Amino acid sequence: MTKKFASQGDIGEKKVTFDEIGEGLWAFTAEGDPNSGVIIGDDSVMIVEAQATPRLANLVIEKVREVTDKPISHLILTHYHAVRVLGASAYGAGQIIMSDTARAMVTERGQEDWDSEFQRFPRLFEGHESIPGLTWPTTTFSRSMTVYLGKRRVDISCPGRAHTAGDAVIHVPDQNVMFTGDIVEDHSACYCGDGHFGDWGGTLDVIRDYRLDAIAPGRGGALIGQDAVNRAIASTRDFIDSTYRPAARVAARGGSLNEAWHAVRAECDPKFSDYAIYEHCLPFNVSRAYDEARGMDTPRIWTDKRDLEMWEQLQG
């Protein structure tokens, strides 16, 4: 039987979990699907990550309404990927926040990413007809900014390149809790197709040095307690290193992308094959690791056509 590309064969709905990870802080998770976060302030609510469509965003809103009737005033998007941002219109937030770099990436490659991810994730894009278009922020920042939800302080910053060049994290200091986007995952593969392997470890160090009490990762379950936080940071680091090292060795000797594919599988399969979206991510991860090892600093733009060409090449 021919193996399906990316997540085209993933058609089963995921179980949603809504965990309180600090006072007035919630993690919306769904068995390896993209997570969202909820920050409840004195008079309003901030959402972290919009989901792929208004249909999925409404699932987040339903959970919010179970714990508060305060209006949603802010939406923070940790990066530009379509599965994270295209549900934004459902929230009616007056402020949509991204880093300057993330906004620039929407301009440069946002439509291509939408077309590509639509092909990769058909289940996540059910109800796509309600997406009004690309999501644009109302507010951007260079390195960091602070939002006050009444007396509650929310610090938003770019800790370094990792999952993309414009990743942001959201820290709530009164609870020492962070929403990391896809910089940190838990028992889920890291998607590295637009990533920066050489910088990712240093960015993880920045997050580790907060000595956090809880994290809502980009995918996977909520991480409550420093032991869980440190375990997820370490496993994310291992995933990144285990992907890049074998691909770099192949590239250094002039080997092919297909050889890199087999080398990465040999190292990663025994450790990570049971991770959520592992098979989905692997082709993109190997391709990006191979490119970076050959000196390509800026990830190439993925398109629906390039996706399939790469997949055919890796399949032999």
Side-chain angles (χ1 to χ4, degrees):
M1 184 172 67
T2 303
K3 191 177 189 121
K4 289 185 180 280
F5 171 66
S7 290
Q8 291 178 350
D10 179 4
I11 59 174
E13 288 296 322
K14 307 300 184 183
K15 179 183 176 181
V16 169
T17 302
F18 197 53
D19 293 313
E20 190 168 23
I21 57 175
E23 185 178 351
L25 306 175
W26 297 81
F28 175 100
T29 68
E31 298 184 309
D33 273 3
N35 294 341
S36 289
V38 178
I39 302 171
I40 302 174
D42 292 339
D43 302 308
S44 67
V45 175
M46 174 183 283
I47 302 293
V48 181
E49 311 288 43
Q51 296 285 321
T53 64
R55 178 185 73 86
L56 291 174
N58 280 321
L59 299 181
V60 178
I61 294 169
E62 287 175 8
K63 290 298 183 181
V64 171
R65 292 298 163 236
E66 292 177 5
V67 296
T68 182
D69 60 0
K70 295 174 183 177
I72 295 169
S73 57
H74 294 75
L75 172 63
I76 170 70
L77 305 171
T78 65
H79 59 286
Y80 75 97
H81 283 154
V83 293
R84 296 293 181 180
V85 307
L86 292 180
S89 62
Y91 298 97
Q95 293 290 319
I96 301 175
I97 302 169
M98 275 185 180
S99 71
D100 289 337
T101 301
R103 188 191 189 283
M105 297 182 86
V106 175
T107 302
E108 177 191 47
R109 57 183 70 197
Q111 185 62 54
E112 290 85 353
D113 182 72
W114 181 356
D115 295 341
S116 172
E117 294 201 36
F118 182 82
Q119 175 177 254
R120 300 180 199 179
F121 284 110
R123 175 176 56 80
L124 292 183
F125 284 97
E126 290 176 6
H128 63 92
E129 300 85 358
S130 62
I131 300 171
L134 292 173
T135 297
W136 297 98
T138 61
T139 304
T140 64
F141 64 97
S142 176
R143 296 298 299 275
S144 64
M145 68 178 290
T146 297
V147 173
Y148 286 91
L149 300 174
K151 294 180 180 178
R152 170 158 265 179
R153 174 174 176 156
V154 180
D155 294 326
I156 308 165
S157 64
C158 294
R161 301 193 303 181
H163 177 67
T164 72
D167 295 331
V169 298
I170 300 89
H171 183 233
V172 184
D174 67 74
Q175 298 292 301
N176 197 28
V177 168
M178 183 175 284
F179 299 82
T180 65
D182 286 311
I183 299 173
V184 178
E185 312 288 23
D186 183 46
H187 213 76
S188 178
C190 301
Y191 174 75
C192 311
D194 301 297
H196 296 269
F197 287 94
D199 295 338
W200 206 314
T203 302
L204 289 171
D205 290 342
V206 172
I207 293 172
R208 180 200 61 198
D209 289 347
Y210 277 84
R211 301 184 182 278
L212 297 158
D213 292 314
I215 279 178
R219 292 176 185 264
L223 302 163
I224 301 173
Q226 291 189 358
D227 288 347
V229 166
N230 292 333
R231 173 187 55 76
I233 291 173
S235 67
T236 299
R237 189 188 308 276
D238 187 28
F239 188 97
I240 298 305
D241 292 345
S242 297
T243 302
Y244 185 70
R245 280 194 308 260
R249 287 194 294 266
V250 170
R253 61 174 173 78
S256 68
L257 177 62
N258 190 267
E259 289 174 290
W261 164 255
H262 290 290
V264 172
R265 290 213 78 125
E267 183 153 344
C268 289
D269 282 6
K271 293 192 283 188
F272 308 120
S273 61
D274 64 336
Y275 276 24
I277 67 167
Y278 175 72
E279 292 292 344
H280 172 115
C281 292
L282 195 64
F284 304 98
N285 294 357
V286 173
S287 179
R288 173 58 191 150
Y290 183 72
D291 280 351
E292 185 170 321
R294 293 187 302 155
M296 187 178 295
D297 182 67
T298 301
R300 291 188 284 166
I301 296 174
W302 291 102
T303 66
D304 49 358
K305 180 180 178 182
R306 184 185 165 216
D307 284 0
L308 295 179
E309 289 174 347
M310 176 269 295
W311 179 242
E312 290 171 2
Q313 183 179 359
L314 291 178
Q315 294 306 295

